[in-house]
Amino acid sequence: DIQMTQSPSTLSASVGDRVTITCRASQGVDKWLAWYQQKPLKAPKVLISEASNLENGVPSRFSGGGSGTEFTLTINSLQPDDFATYYCQQYDTYPLTFGQGTRLEIK
Amino acid sequence: EVQLVESGGGLVQPGGSLRLSCVVSGFTFNNYVMLWVRQAPGKGLEWVSSIIASGETTYYTDSVKGRFTVSRDNSKNTLYLQMDSLRVEDTAQYYCANSDCGDWYCRRIVHWGQGTLVTVSS
């Protein structure tokens, strides 16, 4: 199974900050990597697929990068609505696997 | 508007069974791979199972193989998850989701339902 490791597990930031979350795969997944945002008691929301493609309706302050085994999610100019938990997920191979999540909290 | 609505969750004793359903609307159900993903309370996301558009091929995470069965009724726009021999560690919110195409290579998740809670406890 491909293991996905996110860092950091928790990130404290302020409105207006720029933050980056890293996701590492235990083996190469090409570009088949998605990022999700989840708020408490809500279903995950797809932000980015194919490592860098922004989903329709997702604000342009979100961006994704990387390929192979190293990926990043960057949020520019944090907004109050962005404080949530973020997950990466590889969909190159079954079993599909997720990172453990990064909780983005207000400093 | 795409909608995925899960139902069938509840409280069940260890060793018991439940059948989850997911009714979809807003897209042509029989063209897309469907998935189940779960999330234990306070924990991360875990993929459970997938089924291709025709229903002919299914995939499972190791921990549920032989206990869970995914199926679909394309005439009813409904996805199912039959869960037998339930364990305490199966306690989770179960989400259904759809992919962006219908064949074995389609693994990208596009939309999620709101989930249904399964609690396995004595």
Side-chain angles (χ1 to χ4, degrees), chain A residues 77-91:
Chain A
S77 188
L78 274 172
Q79 298 301 301
D81 191 51
D82 299 337
F83 292 94
T85 299
Y86 293 84
Y87 294 93
C88 63
Q89 180 232 338
Q90 68 80 17
Y91 55 100

Side-chain angles (χ1 to χ4, degrees), chain A residues 36 38 42-44 46 49 55 87 89 91-96 98, chain B residues 35 39 43-45 47 50 59 95 106-110 112-114:
Chain A
Y36 303 93
Q38 188 179 34
K42 295 291 188 181
V46 185
S49 61
E55 293 290 313
Y87 294 93
Q89 180 232 338
Y91 55 100
D92 179 68
T93 309
Y94 284 121
L96 310 181
F98 293 84
Chain B
L35 307 91
Q39 186 170 35
K43 302 297 184 183
L45 299 164
W47 168 78
S50 295
Y59 304 89
Y95 296 100
C106 303
R107 294 180 281 265
R108 180 171 83 104
I109 294 175
V110 179
W112 297 68
Q114 287 305 302

Side-chain angles (χ1 to χ4, degrees), chain B:
Chain B
E1 181 192 3
V2 171
Q3 286 196 313
L4 300 88
V5 180
E6 303 93 335
S7 61
L11 174 63
V12 62
Q13 291 188 337
S17 297
L18 275 179
R19 188 174 85 155
L20 306 184
S21 299
C22 172
V23 178
V24 313
S25 59
F27 65 95
T28 306
F29 179 72
N30 59 12
N31 284 351
Y32 297 98
V33 167
M34 297 296 296
L35 307 91
W36 288 99
V37 177
R38 67 184 179 184
Q39 186 170 35
K43 302 297 184 183
L45 299 164
E46 180 187 27
W47 168 78
V48 174
S49 180
S50 295
I51 183 168
I52 68 170
S54 67
E56 292 178 352
T57 305
T58 58
Y59 304 89
Y60 299 93
T61 191
D62 282 349
S63 64
V64 309
K65 280 180 186 173
R67 300 189 300 123
F68 290 11
T69 303
V70 63
S71 62
R72 62 194 296 160
D73 185 335
N74 287 343
S75 68
K76 296 182 178 179
N77 286 1
T78 304
L79 173 72
Y80 301 101
L81 186 66
Q82 177 67 41
M83 303 187 296
D84 298 320
S85 303
L86 280 161
R87 304 169 181 168
V88 170
E89 55 265 34
D90 295 318
T91 295
Q93 184 84 348
Y94 283 74
Y95 296 100
C96 75
N98 70 290
S99 187
D100 57 347
C101 54
D103 219 326
W104 61 270
Y105 50 82
C106 303
R107 294 180 281 265
R108 180 171 83 104
I109 294 175
V110 179
H111 299 108
W112 297 68
Q114 287 305 302
T116 186
L117 181 62
V118 172
T119 304
V120 185
S121 174
S122 55

